[in-house]
Amino acid sequence: MSARLALVPSARPGARAEPAAARTAPSVAETAVESLQGQLSSVRGLLAISLVMMERRREQDVLHLAATAVPSLVPCHTIGIHLDGAGWESSLIRHGDTLASAQDALAQCPATGGPVDLPGEAWAYALPLRSLEEFIGHLVVAGRTEPTPAELVLLRSLAQQTGVAVANARLHASKEASNAALAETVTTLERKTAIHDRFTRVALTGGGHDGIVAALHELTGLPAGIEDRRGTLLAWAGPEPPGTDALTETRADAVLRATRERLVERALTTGRPVRGEGRLITVARPRSDVVGVLFLVDPNASAGEADIVALEHGATVLAIELARLLSLAETELRLGVDVVADLVGGTDVAGASRRAEALGRDLSRPHRVVVISTARPRPDQEPDVLLRAVRGAFPGPNPPLLMQRGETVVLLVEVRSAADRSFLEQLQGGLRSTPGGRSLHLGVGGLCLGPQDYPRSHRESQLALRIPQNSGQREAAVVYDDLGVYQLLSEVADLSGVDAFVRRWLGPLLDYDARRGSSLVLTLSHYLDAGGRYDDAAGTLGIGRSTLRYRLARIRELSGHDLTEPDTRFQLHLATKAWLTARALSGG
Amino acid sequence: MAVTSTLAPQPGDHLCGFYYGDEERDALLLPFLRNGLQSGDKCLAVVDSTPVEQVIADVTAGLDADALLASGQLEMYGSAQTYLRGGAFDPDAMIAFWEQMAADTSAAPAFGFARVVGEMSWLERAPAPREDVLQYETWADGFAARFEHAILCLYDLRRLGSGILLDLMRTHPKLLLGGLVLENPHHVATDELAAAGT
């Protein structure tokens, strides 16, 4: 405080200086006038200080003015200012020891103020600082002698003016704080409104996934993306899109994949954005089995509250978008089922073509009919698990038209040419990545170059599906074009000759199997397919080598054929294939 | 304090600016001088709490400082060259400094009007007798009326406390408070002050 009194006072404040030598004994009137002049001077000083105090907006400035004014008004000095609830005003502290004593003395002093005992001070007084609304604290002053009543009035007036000025400063500070809070609220609201408006535009204009990430990137300045539940990137907006290869490698890493899965689970559980992997992610789940992951790339965790709000708005629009796509897909699926049924059944080929075109499929392009079935369906398996697996294998737009028929799913897959087999790899890969997409049989029909070809391709696909199934294979994907002798046999118009051929070579074995429920014909088929190698044949049949030897002995015994004789082996091999083809054609 | 930018001092003005800290001082000082430079007034200032070079740079930001100094339109001094030239404050020496300055300016009137600023923060580290400061400010009150210029005295209450207020109010007819120029009801005319003997 006023350790820095700027001037070196020449006389006691409140009494104007006059050389002592010049003094003669003043009259009573002169003394009274002199006293009045001194008091008037002090009052004017108080008014001047009040004027400056009222102009200060900082509470500390007001307290400083009051504390430094005391010696200029009365022959006292300031000990300190004690604020109610906040203690001694730190900017004015000069003597810690004195304040500690004053603290104890103030504890005994009422809020209205009064004399206090301070060590080393002849006289000390606590002057109350107050406003209309509140008690502010005490201005504690001390002096060598007790001030006159008039001087005490001056001090009380100073304290009163100080209280009003402090209240004024606090009111101003409160107003400033309110204005700042209001301004912040307005800014936040404006930002939220802008976010809301931006995403509303995306929703109304059908901006889709790309529109959502573009808006999010624009609002936050951070790269943004959308992934499906498995981590496949569906949309991206930002300066450096992640490379496909890098993404595949990252996702292939089991640890990272597990971390990501945990993050997604946490976001689903909390319903709020979560941080991890240098990202801020949230999820949109319009249905329990449909999840979209919306994220901001934020390695430095710089995203603020407004960015989180933008992410949440984006997730809402993404949920709407996913629900729309879901509804669209289900509608397409329903329409697609009718189209597929009419095409493969040959019932309304022309109408089906038009409807397929309305669904964005061009049947004039080469297609193949593919039939998929589960190798060994479990009794407790949900009826549409295969259908969902096949749909899940095509996450992109315009999936193949498909329908469920019994325990199989029939779909029409577009191909580039007759020699194109890439679709099969893609289909098998997609299926393997879905729950329930393993241990499947796929039968692929011949090429369709027009709507009239679909019934044939469907029959062929069923044959391609059944032959490996009937031969006991666990998992297979067979294209009709690759069936070889099966294809030849299946195209024989009159099957009676084929049946006679089968009976001639396999008759006793077929009868034995029919009577005993054994599988000698199938055993023979595998043995011959394996070129007579015991281990290979036993492996594909899933039996032991000794069992195979026993069965082959029974086959020799019942049929009377010498399996080592080349021509006999050829005839028997052909007969087993004819038998399998006939079974497949009859639907067995 | 933005209102100070519209401050248009009149000849004979003797203003007292109270402030807390250098930031508030700059809000008073810089517009006062800068507006003067842009209006073609002579600007003469003695500063204390900030180096002269810094104040010159702040005042002339965007203007041609070298030309303003070379022409004499802007003159800037530190307190060591003026108020404390002899090591301590000598009111007579300082009065002589200003009188000489005014005489020189009047002899070669290149500028129609002058703005004069004195920052008194040096009182914190070199306290002067109250009578000396009172004598100096009383003289300044009369001095302002004798020439075509306005004087702005700057007092940092954070450094000097409020004990000095009454004396300053008695010697300055106008106050610069809250960005506004106020008529000072506590001002006492120079002859009255002399008669009172304080």
Side-chain angles (χ1 to χ4, degrees), chain A residues 39-72:
Chain A
Q39 287 179 33
L40 180 60
S41 176
S42 294
V43 169
R44 294 181 77 164
L46 177 62
L47 289 174
I49 290 162
S50 298
L51 179 67
V52 178
M53 268 184 184
M54 296 303 169
E55 292 293 333
R56 300 311 306 174
R57 294 182 175 183
R58 288 179 70 241
E59 181 178 335
Q60 279 187 337
D61 293 351
V62 173
L63 298 175
H64 176 256
L65 281 169
T68 56
V70 169
S72 68

Side-chain angles (χ1 to χ4, degrees), chain A residues 2 4-11 16-17 41-49 51-52 55-56 58 60-62 64-70 72, chain B residues 1 18-20 24 123-124 127-131 133 157-167 169-170 175 177-178 182 185-188 197-198:
Chain A
S2 188
R4 319 171 181 147
L5 262 183
L7 303 180
V8 179
S10 59
R16 294 298 160 220
S41 176
S42 294
V43 169
R44 294 181 77 164
L46 177 62
L47 289 174
I49 290 162
L51 179 67
V52 178
E55 292 293 333
R56 300 311 306 174
R58 288 179 70 241
Q60 279 187 337
D61 293 351
V62 173
H64 176 256
L65 281 169
T68 56
V70 169
S72 68
Chain B
M1 296 287 178
F18 300 118
Y19 61 91
Y20 263 76
E24 287 190 18
L123 276 169
E124 182 191 28
R130 174 174 170 263
E131 292 85 354
V133 176
L157 295 179
R158 180 170 290 163
R159 296 171 188 273
L160 306 175
S162 60
I164 197 172
L165 271 173
L166 181 58
D167 287 340
M169 292 229 171
R170 290 161 62 154
L175 303 177
L177 272 178
L182 305 174
H186 304 287
H187 177 244
V188 180
T198 50

Side-chain angles (χ1 to χ4, degrees), chain A residues 87-158:
Chain A
W88 295 101
E89 169 54 35
S90 58
S91 65
L92 303 174
I93 288 175
R94 187 171 48 158
H95 300 300
D97 293 345
T98 309
L99 291 183
S101 304
Q103 177 86 42
D104 296 338
L106 272 181
Q108 311 299 322
C109 182
T112 51
V116 290
D117 290 328
L118 289 184
E121 301 289 355
W123 175 85
Y125 203 89
L127 299 154
L129 305 176
R130 53 186 304 113
S131 70
L132 279 176
E133 303 292 333
E134 60 180 337
F135 169 67
I136 293 168
H138 287 105
L139 166 62
V140 182
V141 299
R144 290 178 184 166
T145 58
E146 184 174 347
T148 64
E151 287 170 337
L152 196 54
V153 168
L154 267 180
L155 286 173
R156 285 185 176 282
S157 299
L158 174 67

Side-chain angles (χ1 to χ4, degrees), chain A residues 304-480:
Chain A
E305 190 57 37
D307 299 323
I308 292 172
V309 170
L311 189 62
E312 288 175 328
H313 271 74
T316 303
V317 177
L318 179 58
I320 295 169
E321 173 68 4
L322 289 175
R324 186 185 70 80
L325 291 175
L326 196 62
S327 170
L328 197 62
E330 284 174 347
T331 304
E332 275 201 9
L333 181 64
R334 281 197 302 276
L335 292 172
V337 166
D338 294 343
V339 170
V340 175
D342 283 341
L343 279 173
V344 301
T347 47
D348 181 13
V349 171
S353 295
R354 284 195 300 274
R355 278 177 277 134
E357 194 175 342
L359 291 171
R361 273 47 166 216
D362 183 358
L363 296 185
S364 67
R365 291 179 182 166
H367 280 72
R368 286 181 186 271
V369 177
V370 179
V371 184
I372 303 173
S373 79
T374 307
R376 282 174 294 185
R378 295 194 313 272
D380 59 343
Q381 188 167 289
E382 291 177 29
D384 63 345
V385 66
L386 180 61
L387 182 67
R388 278 193 276 125
V390 175
R391 288 177 65 186
F394 297 95
N398 291 329
L401 297 176
L402 53 82
M403 71 169 182
Q404 182 154 22
R405 175 167 283 184
E407 292 179 350
T408 66
V409 170
V410 181
L411 60 156
L412 314 181
V413 179
E414 186 176 331
V415 294
R416 287 194 288 271
S417 66
D420 178 21
R421 293 288 188 276
S422 61
F423 75 93
L424 200 53
E425 272 180 32
Q426 190 184 349
L427 176 57
Q428 286 177 298
L431 284 169
R432 275 195 288 270
S433 67
T434 64
R438 293 174 184 276
S439 299
L440 298 177
H441 281 149
L442 278 73
V444 182
L447 197 67
C448 305
L449 296 174
Q452 71 284 353
D453 293 334
Y454 286 87
R456 172 188 49 77
S457 182
H458 182 229
R459 283 195 303 277
E460 292 167 351
S461 68
Q462 286 179 311
L463 185 69
L465 179 77
R466 285 178 193 140
I467 285 175
Q469 271 183 331
N470 289 341
S471 67
Q473 292 184 33
R474 291 190 184 88
E475 186 177 348
V478 176
V479 181
Y480 177 77

Side-chain angles (χ1 to χ4, degrees), chain A residues 214-275:
Chain A
L216 192 55
H217 174 54
E218 180 186 309
L219 289 165
T220 63
L222 296 169
I226 296 173
E227 289 176 348
D228 64 14
R229 179 69 186 254
R230 289 172 294 172
T232 306
L233 188 67
L234 305 178
W236 172 265
E240 293 171 15
T244 307
D245 290 346
L247 194 71
T248 305
E249 285 173 14
T250 301
R251 295 298 165 240
D253 187 286
V255 176
L256 281 179
R257 200 164 52 236
T259 305
R260 181 187 181 280
E261 184 57 28
R262 279 198 296 275
L263 271 176
V264 172
E265 282 298 329
R266 195 146 60 84
L268 283 168
T269 306
T270 61
R272 290 274 299 162
V274 295
R275 283 189 190 283

